Amino acid sequence: MTIRTIMKAIACTRYGPPDVLQLRNIDLPSPKRNEVRIKIFATAVTASDCIVRGSKLPVWHPMGLMMGIVLGFGKPRNPILGCVLSGEIETVGKDVKKFEKGNQVFGFTVKSGIQIRFGTYAEYMCLPEDWFVTAKPINLTHEEAAAIPYGGLFAMHCLRKGDAQSGQNVLIYGASGAIGTSIVRLAKNLGAKVDAVCGTSNIEFVKSLGVDTAFDYTRDDSARDLKKYDLVFDAVGRRKSSRLKMLCKEALTPNGKYISVDDGAPKILSEDLVMLRELSEAGKIKPIIDKVFTLEQMSEAHRYTDKGHKRGNVVITVCQS
C-alpha cells in the first residue's frame, strides 16, 4: 500500500488579483498529539478570503500594518487561504479524545482576530481538537455544510451583540450575501420582523427568504418607506455604500442599535457552531449556494466573488466524498 505524502492546495503567491492563486502540490501535514487531520470535501470562498488575497493597504496604514503583522507582509505567511471546511477526520493525534477516524465534521478555522488558521483551500488540514470543529449536520451534503459556518457564525455574533428579540423591527443592509442571508434566517427564527436592503437584481431573491419588505438601494424613493428599527445590521461594511445606507443609520428607534461587520473582530463561540448544526438538522435554516467551483477553478471563484453580487455562498468542491 502506497503511503500518500503529497496533496493539492491553492497557494496565494502574493497579495493581488485572483490570478495570484495557484494550484500546487505540497507536503501532506502531520497532526500533532492534540490535532486531527481532516480530509476536506468542501470549502467556501468568503469575503474575508478575498479581502486578504486582494489586500492593497500600505504598511503605513494602521489596518495594513496590523494585517502585515498578523498575516504577513507582501504575501500571506501561510499561503493556503480558506477558513471554512466540511470533511472527514482522516487521522487523530495520540492525545485526541473528542474525535475518531471517520467522523464527518464541519468547522471554522478563525477563533479571533489574532487566532487565525487559514488553510482550507487544500485537500487536508490539521487542527487542534478544541478548535471550531463539530459534527456535520446529518441532513446536509458536504457542499451544503460548507455554506453554513462563515455567514452563520458572523450572523450569530451580530444578533447576540444587538440582543435581538422576538417582535423587534430589524433592518439588514446587504441581505443577499453569506452574512446577510444568515442574519435574515436567524432573525426570522427568533421571531423578529425583518426588512432588508439589496440591489435590484436580488429583490425577489431576498423576498423569498421571508423578509417583510425588501428595499432597493439604487432607488432614491426607497427611503420614504423605511420604518424605525430596533436593530440595523450592516452586513457589508465600508466596502459598499449608498445614500440609502446613510439613511438607514438614521432609521433607529431612540434605543436602537446600528451594528456593522466592520465593528472589530467578531466574538465567535464554539456553541454557536453546534447551534447552527441543530438548526440545520431541524430545517430552520438552510444553506444558500450561488455557485459551486472545483479546487482547480479557485481563481475563477474569486473573480466571481469579487464582483460583490453573489447570493449566499460560493462553494468549492475539494476532495470527492
Side-chain angles (χ1 to χ4, degrees):
M1 180 178 177
T2 303
I3 298 176
R4 184 173 184 176
T5 60
I6 299 295
M7 69 172 182
K8 291 181 180 179
I10 299 295
C12 183
T13 56
R14 59 181 174 83
Y15 297 126
D19 289 340
V20 302
L21 300 171
Q22 299 291 321
L23 184 66
R24 296 281 190 267
N25 288 322
I26 65 174
D27 291 338
L28 191 71
S30 297
K32 298 175 182 177
R33 298 176 68 96
N34 68 328
E35 291 185 337
V36 296
R37 184 165 69 204
I38 303 170
K39 183 176 184 180
I40 300 174
F41 294 130
T43 184
V45 175
T46 70
S48 296
D49 298 338
C50 292
I51 289 171
V52 171
R53 183 222 75 227
S55 175
K56 296 179 181 179
L57 294 175
V59 294
W60 47 261
H61 188 285
M63 288 303 297
L65 179 60
M66 180 59 69
M67 178 178 262
I69 292 171
V70 175
L71 300 175
F73 293 99
K75 63 181 181 179
R77 194 171 295 111
N78 173 7
I80 313 302
L81 302 182
C83 58
V84 299
L85 62 84
S86 183
E88 179 178 292
I89 302 295
E90 192 256 356
T91 304
V92 299
K94 293 180 179 180
D95 295 339
V96 171
K97 301 291 190 296
K98 182 178 176 181
F99 297 104
E100 297 178 352
K101 181 179 179 180
N103 288 162
Q104 305 294 298
V105 297
F106 79 137
F108 188 61
T109 66
V110 179
K111 292 189 79 171
S112 70
I114 59 174
Q115 288 182 294
I116 300 173
R117 283 209 180 197
F118 286 124
T120 65
Y121 287 4
E123 292 181 308
Y124 294 87
M125 182 181 189
C126 292
L127 285 171
E129 68 170 333
D130 63 352
W131 217 255
F132 291 152
V133 176
T134 191
K136 179 183 77 68
I138 59 175
N139 59 327
L140 300 184
T141 66
H142 285 289
E143 286 78 12
E144 291 170 334
I148 296 291
Y150 182 78
L153 291 170
F154 266 86
M156 293 191 79
H157 160 76
C158 289
L159 291 168
R160 184 167 50 245
K161 185 174 181 179
D163 191 25
Q165 304 289 326
S166 176
Q168 287 184 321
N169 286 322
V170 174
L171 178 65
I172 301 160
Y173 188 94
S176 58
I179 297 173
T181 54
S182 296
I183 298 178
V184 169
R185 288 285 176 81
L186 290 169
K188 292 292 290 185
N189 187 64
L190 285 173
K193 301 172 186 177
V194 181
D195 290 348
V197 178
C198 60
T200 308
S201 61
N202 286 325
I203 291 290
E204 294 306 316
F205 164 69
V206 168
K207 286 182 178 178
S208 74
L209 301 179
V211 303
D212 297 292
T213 306
F215 300 105
D216 185 342
Y217 72 81
T218 68
R219 293 174 59 97
D220 289 339
D221 60 355
S222 292
R224 68 188 180 193
D225 295 319
L226 290 174
K227 305 171 188 173
K228 289 296 181 180
Y229 296 94
D230 301 291
L231 294 169
V232 174
F233 293 108
D234 176 6
V236 291
R238 290 183 294 271
R239 294 179 299 123
K240 294 184 180 180
S241 188
S242 68
R243 177 176 176 272
L244 183 59
K245 185 174 184 178
M246 300 305 297
L247 294 174
C248 288
K249 292 182 179 181
E250 301 171 2
L252 290 168
T253 61
N255 295 316
K257 298 178 182 178
Y258 184 91
I259 296 171
S260 171
V261 293
D262 287 337
D263 294 341
K267 184 177 181 180
I268 306 297
L269 305 178
S270 57
E271 51 263 39
D272 288 346
L273 192 60
V274 175
M275 177 64 73
L276 290 172
R277 182 190 72 212
E278 293 172 351
L279 290 171
S280 297
E281 291 178 341
K284 293 183 178 180
I285 60 171
K286 296 181 179 179
I288 299 173
I289 299 174
D290 187 339
K291 284 181 177 287
V292 178
F293 296 85
T294 65
L295 187 68
E296 292 78 6
Q297 295 173 314
M298 187 64 77
S299 293
E300 184 180 347
H302 269 247
R303 272 191 290 273
Y304 181 77
T305 304
D306 276 351
K307 293 178 182 178
H309 300 296
K310 67 180 176 66
R311 296 179 175 182
N313 300 268
V314 170
V315 171
I316 305 294
T317 57
V318 186
C319 297
Q320 295 297 314
S321 57

